[in-house]
Amino acid sequence: MILTKPQAINLIDHLEYDQIVKQKFMEALENGLFEKYSSFASNPLLLNIMLMTFDEGATIPDKLNDFYEQAFSTLFNVHDGSKDCFKRNISTGLGCEDFKFIFAYFCFKTYFSNVYEFTDNSVRKYISDAKKVSQVNNWRVDDYLDDLVKAVCMLVKDGLNYTFAHRSFQEYFAAWYTTKLEDSIQVRLLNGWLNEKKGYADDPYFLMLYNLQSEKFNKIFLCPGIKEIKKYYEKGFGIDFLGNLFSGVVIRCLNVGQQKKYKTYIKIKNNYLCAILRMTCLFNGYHFENAEENNEDFISYLSKNRELREQREVSFDKIKEDGVGKIATESLNWVEKQIIFALDVLEKYNKNGVGNKRKVSSIIESL
């Protein structure tokens, strides 16, 4: 069930919970909190988690990382929706930090295995794997699974299967566990994830990892990739350079009322380098410009003089062959602006390199 803002506020209003806390929380939802955390606040279970987290800190943290930490701690330590609550009975007897480490490993393994839903057998196997790396192992897998579902509400049983209460919990704790790995392993893992085209720049996992260790993320992961881009860029910004990162330009014809509107974008060829460039700009505060403002000559070329009806993809080899490389380069100068910004970041964090690359599957298997 997906809640609208009025429905979410109404649900909170009817909960048996401290009236003062409820009122403050409802006011916060009304004044922007619902929109900021819409994917949480629109889910009844997660809305309750938000309420308890709000109660603990009298607010919801601005940073998502802080929110996940506070939400987990709150769920681990308090019981149900009553102000006069008692501590939950954790079946495993584990403390909060030990429990969190095990869950983070569980999230890490499942995230990089692209597993988000579990059968009864598979969820127990992943928990058993986590138990092997835990320094505290005097607990039962059945008890830990029971705690995940009933005590900390990180997993939800849906019919015969289990799913995460919210996918972002998996992403956050997978990132949290990644920070515990040696730098060289982090580099090989993340490079492999992008090179195998299983990761992408806008994946929330990367943003969470960056927020947890921003300086290290720039130094050991982004800068080596920027150095590779720099080698191509030193030969000049032109069609040959663009062809190293992108396969070509795609143009789509959209009917807006009685008029045609053309939308263009460049198609990724090198997933690793394109993701590095995107993340460098995205995480380090680059002000993205409107990339749609291509010049009229380039639009006419791509759309075959405005006769295009649906979509067309033109490779950079074809653009070069047709002798329109100059107008293409001028039209795509926003790419160069991003590269210059990335080079400034490289100048700031100018050290460390990339270790030997290995398959993501083999790295995960060894951890």
Side-chain angles (χ1 to χ4, degrees), residues 178-245:
T178 304
T179 66
K180 308 304 175 186
L181 302 175
E182 293 180 2
D183 291 358
S184 60
I185 295 177
Q186 286 193 43
V187 170
R188 296 200 308 272
L189 173 66
L190 300 182
N191 284 348
W193 191 239
L194 291 178
N195 277 305
E196 293 177 25
K197 296 186 178 180
K198 295 179 180 178
Y200 56 97
D202 288 54
D203 188 328
Y205 163 84
F206 285 113
L207 176 59
M208 292 177 186
L209 182 59
Y210 176 84
N211 286 337
L212 286 167
Q213 51 172 39
S214 57
E215 185 170 344
K216 179 182 287 188
F217 193 92
N218 275 318
K219 285 182 178 180
I220 71 171
F221 181 51
L222 294 181
C223 284
I226 301 171
K227 286 180 181 178
E228 291 191 36
I229 295 174
K230 182 180 180 181
K231 291 178 182 178
Y232 291 121
Y233 183 68
E234 286 174 342
K235 298 177 183 178
F237 181 76
I239 293 300
D240 290 336
F241 170 83
L242 290 167
N244 288 313
L245 273 67

Side-chain angles (χ1 to χ4, degrees), residues 267-286:
K267 191 172 181 179
I268 291 173
K269 174 182 177 181
N270 188 317
N271 189 64
Y272 168 68
L273 292 182
C274 288
I276 290 292
L277 180 60
R278 170 76 176 170
M279 284 190 281
T280 301
C281 294
L282 194 64
F283 300 163
N284 287 280
Y286 177 79

Side-chain angles (χ1 to χ4, degrees), residues 242-259:
L242 290 167
N244 288 313
L245 273 67
F246 311 99
S247 61
V249 181
V250 177
I251 183 168
R252 288 178 178 170
C253 180
L254 306 174
N255 293 316
V256 182
Q258 299 296 318
Q259 295 183 330

Side-chain angles (χ1 to χ4, degrees), residues 59-94:
T59 186
I60 298 292
D62 287 333
K63 293 184 178 179
L64 280 175
N65 288 17
D66 294 335
F67 170 70
Y68 293 119
E69 283 288 339
Q70 189 172 324
F72 182 87
S73 177
T74 298
L75 288 167
F76 189 88
N77 288 295
V78 302
H79 175 64
D80 289 334
S82 171
K83 183 65 178 176
D84 299 320
C85 58
F86 53 88
K87 287 192 175 181
R88 291 182 187 274
N89 180 24
I90 302 297
S91 300
T92 55
L94 291 165

Side-chain angles (χ1 to χ4, degrees), residues 116-156:
Y116 318 115
E117 184 174 340
F118 313 90
T119 63
D120 191 67
N121 287 334
S122 66
V123 74
R124 293 172 191 277
K125 180 186 181 302
Y126 280 114
I127 294 173
S128 295
D129 290 342
K131 185 175 183 179
K132 293 174 184 176
V133 301
S134 171
Q135 294 183 345
V136 182
N137 54 21
N138 59 340
W139 49 273
R140 298 172 62 248
V141 169
D142 287 351
D143 289 338
Y144 193 88
L145 177 58
D146 191 61
D147 286 341
L148 279 181
V149 175
K150 297 178 182 178
V152 296
C153 304
M154 290 290 103
L155 293 185
V156 176

